[in-house]
Structure formats: structure tokens, C-alpha cells
Amino acid sequence: MPMNQSLTKKYSGKVRDIYDAGDDRVLMVASDRMSAFDVVMNEPVPDKGRVLTAMSAFWFEHLRDIAPSHLISTRSADFPASARSRDYEGRSMLCRVADMLPIECIVRGYLAGSAWKEYSATGSTHGLQLPAGLLESCQLPEPVFTPSTKAALGHDENISFDRAVALIGGPTVERARDIAIGLYMRAAEWAIERGIIIADTKFEFGFIDGELAVCDEVLTPDSSRFWPADDWHPGTTPPSFDKQPLRDYLEGLGWDKQPPPPSLPPEIIDATRRRYIDGYERITGRSFADWPGVTK
Ligand SMILES: Nc1ncnc2c1ncn2[C@@H]1O[C@H](COP(=O)(O)OP(=O)(O)O)[C@@H](O)[C@H]1O
Ligand SMILES: [Mg+2]
């Protein structure tokens, strides 16, 4: 990842780094780091950070009538002088700093992951009663808003709507829910026409100038479950659009899913890179080669 003395790093996440850009702005830089089973792999996936940035930027623009976002620009000419280099180009978003809600706003259109686990054990998810007899990966009668806490350490915890109300107040939860469902429905409809199911996704919102804005990354394979529509069969776990070659490889090794991760052969990295690019091109109808900063 680029290192630059004159930019102050505020935060380093699993796959992104956030720099102070002055004037209540941050530069969010997506690296090529890739995690699987919550462990970050040793090898980067070339261009992954650029693909995810391009995808987020597409969605922010495409969904802007539903709610404002934190994005100011992805053009490096707009970045602080010390970030106007090729290292940052295409993988960075200059954003307004928001006063972030302490919850993750998850919307689920299909029954998968932790929601499926909880449902198969209890018949409900996030405290929400669902119809009986649903199969894993089935489409829900309508998308549901299922918030979780943002755990500083360890795994986020699924919470009920009422618990979210207790944390941030009724009007804010209702606004967050309405925006989240609106974004999800529009995006899922768009994606399915292009052969991709968005099973679920996580949004993060924050207040900017007193208004709730869409922050973080949006509707990327890192924040969502994307499934190839052709491989969706209720009752089974569909392959993830982006990470399936990697997961299959790791499962085949019998690795215990604890750090350190095993090293990855180039063909697995390359297959993963191609999946990310394919997903971007299918969803946006744009050629990734036209996005700035692409590896030639
Ligand atoms: N506009 C914003 N203003 C302030 N914080 C933000 C903004 N957008 C996203 N964030 C926060 O930045 C952090 C990004 O961290 P992330 O790269 O997701 O790392 P990880 O989730 O692995 O800790 C999250 O805590 C997110 O809530
Ligand atoms: Mg995060």
C-alpha cells in the first residue's frame, strides 16, 4: 500500500486504509488485500481495490436520488496533493467525514449466512419471525432490514429493530431502514437483470450536515453476497460470485481457517481477479479497462 509522510493515516481496516484529507474530509483507499473466512491472505489480488472502488462509485451515482452519499470525488486531481499519484488513482474515494451510526444496516432479500443459521435454529432472524419451512438461500417474501452492532473486536452481533431503536432512537432507525431497503431493492432489481443475485448487503450511514448519508463502500462483493443467478438453487448454498475459486481451493487444503493463511497459487489469484472484474463489468456495463489506474 502507498505510504506517504504527508497524509495522516486515521485508521487501517482489514482491506482499506483511511487518511485524513483535511477540511472534514477523508481519503478512503481500498487495497488489494483479500480476506477469506475473516483471515487476510498474504497475496494481494491485483486491481481488487480499484474494482471495488469503481463499483461503489457506480452505485453512489446510480442511487443518488434515494439518499445523499459521503462521496466527493474519485478523481485524483481532486485529492490532496500528496495523494495525487498512481498509487492512489482509481482505488481512492475522497469523502466527507460523517458522524457514523453505531450500527450496520443489513438488508436481506434471501436467507443466507448468519440469518439462515439463526432461522434454522429458532425460526426467526434478528428477532424477526419468518414464515415456517423456508429453505436455505430462498428468496424472502420481501426484503428485511436486519441491523447488527459494529463490534470493535470479534464478530458483529445481529440485533432486533427494537434494540437498534434503543441505541440510536426511533426516527433515525426508521430513516436508516427506509434508505437501506430503497437502495437494496433498486440495486437488486438492476443486478438480477444482469444475471447477479444480491442476496444481502450491508450499508453504513452517518450524519453529514444533519442529514443521514450513505457512507463507507456500497454494494460491493466485500459488503454483500453476490450469487451468479444461474447457480442459485434453494436448499443449497450458492457459490459466491467473487470468492468461490479461492474458497474451493482453501477448503480443498483442509486449512483450519486460523492465521497464518496458506500461500495461494497464481492461478487462484488470477481467477479471483477475473471474477471481480467480470462482476464489475456485468453490473455497470462499463469496461474496467476504462477505469483509471488499471494494471496494464
Ligand atoms: N464518511 C465517513 N466518515 C467517517 N467514518 C467512515 C465514513 N465512511 C466509513 N467510515 C468508517 O470507516 C471505517 C472503515 O473501515 P473498514 O475499511 O471497513 O475496516 P474494517 O471494517 O475492516 O474495520 C468503518 O469504521 C466505517 O464505519
Ligand atoms: Mg468495514
Side-chain angles (χ1 to χ4, degrees):
M1 266 298 32
M3 286 293 293
N4 196 313
Q5 289 307 326
S6 43
L7 277 181
T8 310
K9 195 185 275 188
K10 283 181 73 160
Y11 180 77
S12 207
K14 277 200 291 290
V15 301
R16 287 177 298 169
D17 298 308
I18 297 175
Y19 298 89
D20 188 351
D23 297 329
D24 280 331
R25 301 171 312 165
V26 281
L27 192 69
M28 300 193 59
V29 184
S31 74
D32 292 338
R33 296 192 289 271
M34 176 176 53
S35 67
F37 306 111
D38 272 342
V39 177
V40 179
M41 300 292 114
N42 296 318
E43 298 81 1
V45 174
D47 287 326
K48 175 186 175 251
R50 294 192 173 95
V51 178
L52 267 57
T53 301
M55 207 184 273
S56 266
F58 167 81
W59 288 121
F60 278 133
E61 179 190 322
H62 187 69
L63 303 169
R64 63 191 297 169
D65 59 302
I66 296 179
S69 87
H70 68 159
L71 180 63
I72 299 169
S73 175
T74 55
R75 289 161 26 106
S76 60
D78 298 326
F79 297 169
S82 47
R84 272 175 230 149
S85 71
R86 222 173 123 61
D87 283 343
Y88 293 90
E89 192 172 39
R91 64 171 71 253
S92 310
M93 299 195 298
L94 183 66
C95 300
R96 305 273 309 272
V97 170
D99 184 10
M100 300 299 290
L101 299 186
I103 60 168
E104 312 225 309
C105 295
I106 301 164
V107 179
R108 302 172 186 276
Y110 294 72
L111 192 54
S114 66
W116 161 248
K117 265 193 207 120
E118 196 182 328
Y119 171 80
S120 51
T122 67
S124 63
T125 185
H126 299 242
L128 202 74
Q129 197 65 40
L130 293 176
L134 298 178
L135 295 176
E136 179 182 9
S137 315
C138 75
Q139 186 170 18
L140 295 167
E142 58 185 0
V144 290
F145 174 70
T146 54
S148 73
T149 58
K150 284 170 68 169
L153 283 173
H155 290 287
D156 299 335
E157 184 198 344
N158 290 349
I159 57 173
S160 66
F161 192 83
D162 291 344
R163 176 97 185 91
V165 170
L167 284 171
I168 60 175
T172 302
V173 186
E174 279 167 26
R175 176 84 184 119
R177 176 198 58 199
D178 293 349
I179 298 173
I181 300 260
L183 294 171
Y184 173 80
M185 286 181 60
R186 177 94 69 77
E189 193 182 327
W190 177 269
I192 195 71
E193 285 166 10
R194 288 151 183 87
I196 294 174
I197 289 174
I198 303 178
D200 51 40
T201 193
K202 180 218 56 167
F203 298 106
E204 292 192 38
F205 301 123
F207 284 102
I208 298 175
D209 293 340
E211 202 182 345
L212 213 49
V214 191
C215 297
D216 213 59
E217 62 177 333
V218 277
L219 294 153
T220 70
D222 276 11
S223 67
S224 324
R225 265 195 188 82
F226 285 12
W227 295 333
D230 289 346
D231 297 327
W232 171 60
H233 307 289
T236 63
T237 313
S240 122
F241 192 90
D242 48 305
K243 284 190 186 152
Q244 201 57 35
L246 173 65
R247 295 229 180 100
D248 289 347
Y249 175 76
L250 293 173
E251 297 278 12
L253 290 180
W255 168 54
D256 63 4
K257 299 173 187 166
Q258 300 301 316
S263 59
L264 303 176
E267 59 273 19
I268 297 296
I269 293 171
D270 196 50
T272 308
R273 175 177 180 272
R274 279 186 281 108
R275 304 274 283 219
Y276 280 115
I277 293 173
D278 180 32
Y280 168 75
E281 294 189 332
R282 276 216 228 176
I283 284 181
T284 63
R286 297 173 183 170
S287 166
F288 181 60
D290 296 336
W291 182 254
V294 173
T295 307
K296 290 290 188 307

